[in-house]
Amino acid sequence: MRRVLFFSALLASLAMASPDVGAAPSKPVKTKAEAGNRFSGFVERLWPVARAKGVSRATFDLAFKGMTPDVEVIALTKKQSEFVKPIWDYLASATSAARIERGTRILAENESTIAAVEARYGVDRSVLLGVWGMETNFGSYTGGKDVLRSLATLASIGYRGTYFRDELINALRILEERHVARADFKGSWAGAMGQTQFMPSSFWRFAVDFDSDGHKDIWKSVPDALASTANYLKENGWRTGQPWGFEVSLPKGFDYRVHEASFAEWSTRGVSRADGQALPQEGQANLFYPAGADGPIFLVTSNFNVIKRYNASDAYALGVASLGDLLNGGARIRASWPTEDPLLALAQRIELQRALTRLGYDVGNPDGRIGSRTREAIRDFQVRAGMRPDGYPNRRVLEALKLN
Ligand code: CA
């Protein structure tokens, strides 16, 4: 995964720092001085590891000169979000008038670069623009945190095991090769960097020097950032010429039990595109009900799942797809969202998962996160209960489950 999701699932604190890090591992940190000692101990221990990965002493010293742990970053690891934003609110801000206006201008300004990247990687401009717009509003907020400091802070407390220490080493190697100046080495609090928010490990796997100046500058070079993003999507399986999907209308009497088929089969079943265009001749697609069968319905291809390799959330992927479509002459989502159907609260989502578990479904640990296993179980239950099997967790399903 490109970047770290679901921080909320993890508890991290200074007191829980891994035992091989810092000066007083078994005791909670009480003073600023102690925290400082712990941090400098971590940095000292890091040096031989960095050296073994090809980082010079000069680069190492440049990276850590005067560095202290970032308490804001530590605080952010403890932030838990119980509230899930409705997808319609999420999409409204993802495709706001201001966002579209900026995207339209950015597209015009970078037309030739975008065309060149599209031609070289076979990845549609709409998805490139969608990712760029969703990640940083086309470069307008790329994150003001010192990436090395953020990563060192997270690594020093052992947050998520060795993940951030490995990312820190990757970041030091980026500095070693001077792809970015020390002062410009900025990103999000969790270390995502540049125009399209790559983690340092993704930088090494996918970043490209598209403008051939010797630096893979995903911070300031639009050609480098967009080519790197296209390369990321291509390497993750983007199929040239295949749409991500589109909104559809279902015919009366539609058999909701079917959710994966070829486009030819969907055509036979009377599924049509909401914009009136014909379905593609070839390929497979899944029905996708982001807010249940009462909301907008989509057919999505494997390219939709490639977008989710960037960020695993359905809402994010639909945001990228919709924003990209709108910047490429496409229409807004037509069907209305079921805004009167309130989202289940965390406790209700857990209740729903427990009820499914009681009925013999394996939905994993009932943590209130609705993943594919929960959706599958809901769908199966809906078939048995004579409901439309859209896999959507709302009150109707919860009430029906409680009767079982
Ligand atoms: Ca470059």
Side-chain angles (χ1 to χ4, degrees), residues 13 26 29 40 51 72 93 106 112 121 162 180 185 209 219 221 233 242 265 274 277 355 381:
S13 70
S26 58
V29 170
S40 52
R51 183 176 53 191
E72 275 178 29
S93 64
I106 290 282
S112 60
Y121 294 95
T162 58
V180 61
F185 207 161
D209 174 19
W219 293 264
S221 161
L233 295 166
Q242 178 181 261
E265 168 85 14
Q277 292 186 51
F381 168 76

Side-chain angles (χ1 to χ4, degrees), residues 27-264:
K27 287 186 293 178
V29 170
K30 290 193 184 102
T31 66
K32 213 172 168 180
E34 252 181 305
N37 287 341
R38 169 177 291 228
F39 187 75
S40 52
F42 163 79
V43 174
E44 267 172 46
R45 265 165 251 235
L46 190 71
W47 162 239
V49 184
R51 183 176 53 191
K53 295 285 182 184
V55 177
S56 67
R57 186 72 218 187
T59 295
F60 194 84
D61 290 344
L62 175 66
F64 291 107
K65 190 179 172 210
M67 190 189 285
T68 55
D70 187 336
V71 290
E72 275 178 29
V73 167
I74 293 171
L76 283 163
T77 64
K78 295 171 188 164
K79 206 172 160 186
Q80 298 225 13
S81 171
E82 290 198 1
F83 177 69
V84 179
K85 196 175 186 178
I87 190 164
W88 45 88
D89 288 346
Y90 183 87
L91 288 172
S93 64
T95 59
S96 67
R99 178 77 58 88
I100 301 294
E101 193 188 318
R102 178 166 167 82
T104 304
R105 184 162 51 77
I106 290 282
L107 170 58
E109 285 167 9
N110 297 279
E111 173 76 44
S112 60
T113 297
I114 291 167
V117 170
E118 201 174 28
R120 168 71 181 76
Y121 294 95
V123 175
D124 295 8
R125 64 180 57 198
S126 58
V127 71
L128 296 174
L129 288 162
V131 169
W132 193 12
M134 289 294 288
E135 293 293 340
T136 63
N137 192 29
F138 311 101
S140 74
Y141 46 78
T142 54
K145 285 281 185 196
D146 177 347
V147 165
L148 291 160
R149 187 180 181 209
S150 294
L151 294 174
T153 300
L154 293 166
S156 74
I157 62 170
Y159 187 59
R160 282 187 62 112
T162 58
Y163 175 82
F164 285 104
R165 197 191 67 164
D166 295 344
E167 290 293 349
L168 176 58
I169 298 289
N170 278 316
L172 288 167
R173 291 174 52 220
I174 293 170
L175 186 64
E176 180 69 34
E177 291 194 9
R178 301 296 188 269
H179 289 289
V180 61
R182 177 69 188 89
D184 297 332
F185 207 161
K186 298 282 173 65
S188 80
W189 71 271
M193 319 174 299
Q195 300 277 327
T196 57
Q197 302 283 280
F198 271 31
M199 288 301 290
S201 54
S202 288
F203 178 96
W204 286 111
R205 289 173 67 195
F206 306 112
V208 174
D209 174 19
F210 199 68
D211 59 16
S212 308
D213 71 346
H215 304 284
K216 296 173 181 176
D217 183 359
I218 60 171
W219 293 264
K220 287 185 178 150
S221 161
V222 169
D224 288 7
L226 290 186
S228 300
T229 305
N231 191 34
Y232 184 103
L233 295 166
K234 178 173 179 272
E235 292 297 319
N236 276 289
W238 184 268
R239 290 201 197 162
T240 307
Q242 178 181 261
W244 64 266
F246 33 76
E247 188 182 356
V248 293
S249 306
L250 305 181
K252 283 208 165 57
F254 179 75
D255 183 352
Y256 284 87
R257 290 171 304 174
V258 184
H259 54 95
E260 184 179 359
S262 65
F263 281 120

